[in-house]
Amino acid sequence: MNLLDAMLQGLMLGGLYAIFAAGLSLIFGVMKIVSLAYGAFAVLAGFIALHLTEAGGWSPIVSLLIVVPLMAAFGWVLQRFILQRTLGESALPSILVTFGLAIIVENLLLITESADQKRMTLGWIDTAAINIGAVRLGVYPLGLFVSSLVILGILALVMARTQFGRAVRAISDDASTVELLGIRPKSVYACAGAIALALAAIGGVASGIQTSFSPTSGGLLLIFAFEAVIIGGIGSLWGTFLGALVLGIAQTVGASYFPSQGILIGHIVFLIFLAFLPQGLSGKVKRL
Amino acid sequence: MTFAVTDLSAGYGQLTALRNVSFSVESGEILAIIGANGAGKSTLLKTIAGQLEARTGSVVIDGEDVTPLSANARARRGILMVPEGRRLFPTLTVKENLQLGMSTGRKGHWTLETVCDIFPLVAERLNRVAGQMSGGEQQATAIARALVGNPEVIMLDEISLGLAPAIVTEFYDRLTEITQQGTAVLLVEQDVRRALSVADQVHCLLEGRTSLAGRELDFADIASAYFGTGTR
């Protein structure tokens, strides 16, 4: 595998990480909620989609029509009635509660779904590829990359142009003053929680098509998402996108030199960023 | 519109910072709240805004008791505060700060255009990031942000703090335009003479208690109420 090829594959993989990390970027980067259950919820969405495809014979893409709204509603309820109570001066309560939720979800899935590796398929698209010059690109990874651009574009537009987006950014600046303007912070948080889990659902289903997944694969997804957010710079959505691409490229290029060590090399690149560019690519230094 | 505070007390932990304060204002009136540092002025405003819980007493607007309401519900009911230190959202633009100010959902005279008319400082800088502006520009934006919410009662906490006298004079000149729309103003001010020059009523606090209150008071009486000297 030549370098250009590996880099392009990494870019495509980065697209998948970007979709998944965008939700985390919103709740962790912008709203300062540390959710350790994010990966487990993505896997949960993957299993729901899997059952829909098995029971209804649907394409996994069609299953998103049900999985995404379902997870968004779940995210809203979770944020409004559980995580909202953990918010305060310290980040510790939210870490503990989401850690507990992750364990519960993981074990419920282990009981109901077994520990076997599962995978969803898009049929012929799985293996289809197009030739661009000297390299071959998979249709599915390419579609995923384009989708990630579209999804992040829409999210960035929402953050920049809507009253909800302004309120989210204002809460990140100064939460107590937001209330003085007549904004209900709890509903802003709940909507952000809904968007985050909707993105986690898309990411979970997309990754379930790309590779196999099991009830315990959420942990790794979560780490990738945190790495993308931090490489990109906390608080910046496009930074997260870049961070996800860097991580994807590091993993595939690394794997082309040291087969089966790709993920480790991704972690090392992340640690290098943390050591030498802790404010991330976007350079937005924000208080946490 | 009548806005009445009755027997209001509040505090922080063991400390009671405000004891049994009562007053009422009508539409278009200016009530100056004066007192030394630590007299409880900001505590009073925070308790009215709902940022701090009242230990006794009530806040009533047009017969409706808003004491049980949260700060954001009070804001939507028309009780808005311009907090001490301006508290703009520093990473947002001036325009975005003002757009958030419209979250009260209240319709009225004040819109983006009309606040720009009375605050040229704001009009010229709508696309600037709020954190990068001077103190005077930030204060003008903070007042404008509350105004676009079309308040019935607007609370101004030390708007002159750290600003050049010329700019402060301009803010005080704008107060008539605000009260003309029927808005009542609660003005917390260190500069007593300046406050007296615009106020219809004066409420003097000393160690959390009312030391003097009324209309057309004598400056000497106010001075003794302010410092807690002389007989009461």
Side-chain angles (χ1 to χ4, degrees):
Chain A
M1 198 196 271
N2 66 41
L3 188 64
L4 178 70
D5 197 40
M7 283 188 72
L8 279 172
Q9 305 300 338
L11 210 60
M12 303 294 111
L13 182 62
L16 168 64
Y17 293 163
I19 296 176
F20 184 67
L24 197 75
S25 181
L26 181 67
I27 56 169
F28 168 62
V30 184
M31 309 195 77
K32 319 289 190 308
I33 304 166
V34 181
S35 173
L36 297 185
Y38 194 67
F41 290 140
V43 173
L44 175 67
F47 274 104
I48 297 172
L50 181 71
H51 284 294
L52 287 172
T53 56
E54 281 173 351
W58 299 358
S59 154
I61 307 261
V62 179
S63 78
L64 285 177
L65 291 176
I66 290 182
V67 177
V68 170
L70 193 69
M71 290 305 285
F74 177 57
W76 195 94
V77 171
L78 183 76
Q79 182 64 46
R80 183 67 186 79
F81 296 106
I82 297 177
L83 296 183
Q84 185 67 40
R85 295 165 191 272
T86 68
L87 298 181
E89 287 301 300
S90 162
L92 199 58
S94 71
I95 294 174
L96 288 174
V97 168
T98 54
F99 185 54
L101 283 171
I103 293 173
I104 292 170
V105 170
E106 233 179 74
N107 284 283
L108 281 178
L109 287 175
L110 276 172
I111 294 168
T112 56
E113 310 288 340
S114 86
D116 295 347
Q117 296 284 329
K118 301 280 169 51
R119 189 163 186 180
M120 286 177 281
T121 175
L122 288 176
W124 63 271
I125 299 174
D126 282 353
T127 50
I130 45 173
N131 288 309
I132 301 173
V135 291
R136 276 173 70 76
L137 281 181
V139 170
Y140 175 68
L142 188 64
L144 206 52
F145 182 76
V146 174
S147 311
S148 74
L149 270 176
V150 172
I151 289 171
L152 266 97
I154 293 171
L155 192 58
L157 213 60
V158 167
M159 293 298 290
R161 298 285 168 79
T162 65
Q163 191 76 346
F164 165 75
R166 285 188 282 269
V168 168
R169 285 179 290 138
I171 285 179
S172 154
D173 271 0
D174 186 345
S176 63
T177 302
V178 167
E179 261 208 278
L180 290 179
L181 306 182
I183 297 167
R184 298 176 183 86
K186 286 176 186 170
S187 57
V188 177
Y189 276 104
C191 288
I195 293 175
L197 278 206
L199 290 167
I202 300 173
V205 173
S207 113
I209 300 168
Q210 177 114 348
T211 69
S212 56
F213 64 104
S214 74
T216 51
S217 47
L220 205 56
L221 280 176
L222 179 73
I223 290 176
F224 292 163
F226 269 113
E227 286 179 344
V229 170
I230 290 167
I231 292 174
I234 288 166
S236 160
L237 211 49
W238 289 113
T240 299
F241 185 71
L242 284 180
L245 298 187
V246 167
L247 188 67
I249 291 170
Q251 288 181 359
T252 46
V253 172
S256 73
Y257 289 104
F258 306 98
S260 82
Q261 299 301 328
I263 289 172
L264 174 68
I265 288 166
H267 293 331
I268 291 172
V269 168
F270 161 71
L271 287 176
I272 292 171
F273 267 93
L274 206 54
F276 297 104
L277 197 64
Q279 73 274 33
L281 290 169
S282 68
K284 251 195 199 174
V285 184
K286 298 189 86 177
R287 71 204 145 71
L288 247 179
Chain B
M1 192 270 313
T2 305
F3 178 73
V5 165
T6 314
D7 192 34
L8 202 64
S9 306
Y12 311 89
Q14 297 277 314
L15 178 84
T16 304
L18 191 70
R19 295 166 198 272
N20 315 100
V21 171
S22 303
F23 63 78
S24 88
V25 285
E26 302 292 321
S27 291
E29 273 194 327
I30 299 179
L31 169 71
I33 299 160
I34 58 177
N37 277 334
K41 305 185 297 292
S42 292
T43 307
L44 174 59
L45 292 200
K46 280 182 190 165
T47 313
I48 294 171
Q51 275 193 325
L52 205 61
E53 202 180 332
R55 290 186 179 167
T56 68
S58 62
V59 178
V60 174
I61 183 163
D62 262 343
E64 184 191 347
D65 187 357
V66 297
T67 327
L69 299 185
S70 65
N72 65 71
R74 292 188 203 191
R76 289 193 299 279
R77 185 61 190 82
I79 304 169
L80 289 174
M81 174 161 80
V82 179
E84 189 178 356
R86 298 136 204 163
R87 305 295 287 268
L88 294 179
F89 305 114
T91 65
L92 273 61
T93 66
V94 170
K95 191 176 176 186
E96 288 176 327
N97 269 278
L98 296 182
Q99 285 169 322
L100 283 172
M102 296 172 187
S103 309
T104 57
R106 302 175 60 83
K107 301 277 171 277
H109 171 76
W110 299 110
T111 62
L112 209 57
E113 287 74 34
T114 50
V115 294
C116 284
D117 289 342
I118 69 162
F119 291 115
L121 276 178
V122 172
E124 291 159 20
R125 288 165 180 79
L126 280 178
N127 294 317
R128 286 274 293 279
V129 174
Q132 292 173 356
M133 300 199 303
S134 74
E137 291 162 355
Q138 290 195 10
Q139 189 65 71
T141 307
I143 299 171
R145 184 177 67 179
L147 276 185
V148 292
N150 286 297
E152 297 208 52
V153 180
I154 188 169
M155 298 183 273
L156 305 174
D157 197 351
E158 307 224 8
I159 52 170
S160 60
L161 204 66
L163 300 183
I167 292 178
V168 178
T169 304
E170 192 171 321
F171 288 155
Y172 273 83
D173 290 344
R174 297 284 88 81
L175 285 179
T176 21
E177 275 139 295
I178 297 172
T179 52
Q180 263 169 14
Q181 303 304 325
T183 303
V185 179
L186 305 186
L187 186 69
V188 160
E189 184 55 87
Q190 293 273 9
D191 184 340
V192 177
R193 281 189 193 278
R194 202 184 285 272
L196 294 182
S197 70
V198 294
D200 300 300
Q201 287 189 57
V202 177
H203 202 98
C204 200
L205 291 179
L206 181 71
E207 291 168 358
R209 286 195 171 84
T210 305
S211 58
L212 187 68
R215 294 163 192 268
E216 295 173 22
L217 299 169
D218 192 51
F219 191 78
D221 290 341
I222 291 171
S224 69
Y226 188 101
F227 294 111
T229 56
T231 49
R232 268 185 266 156

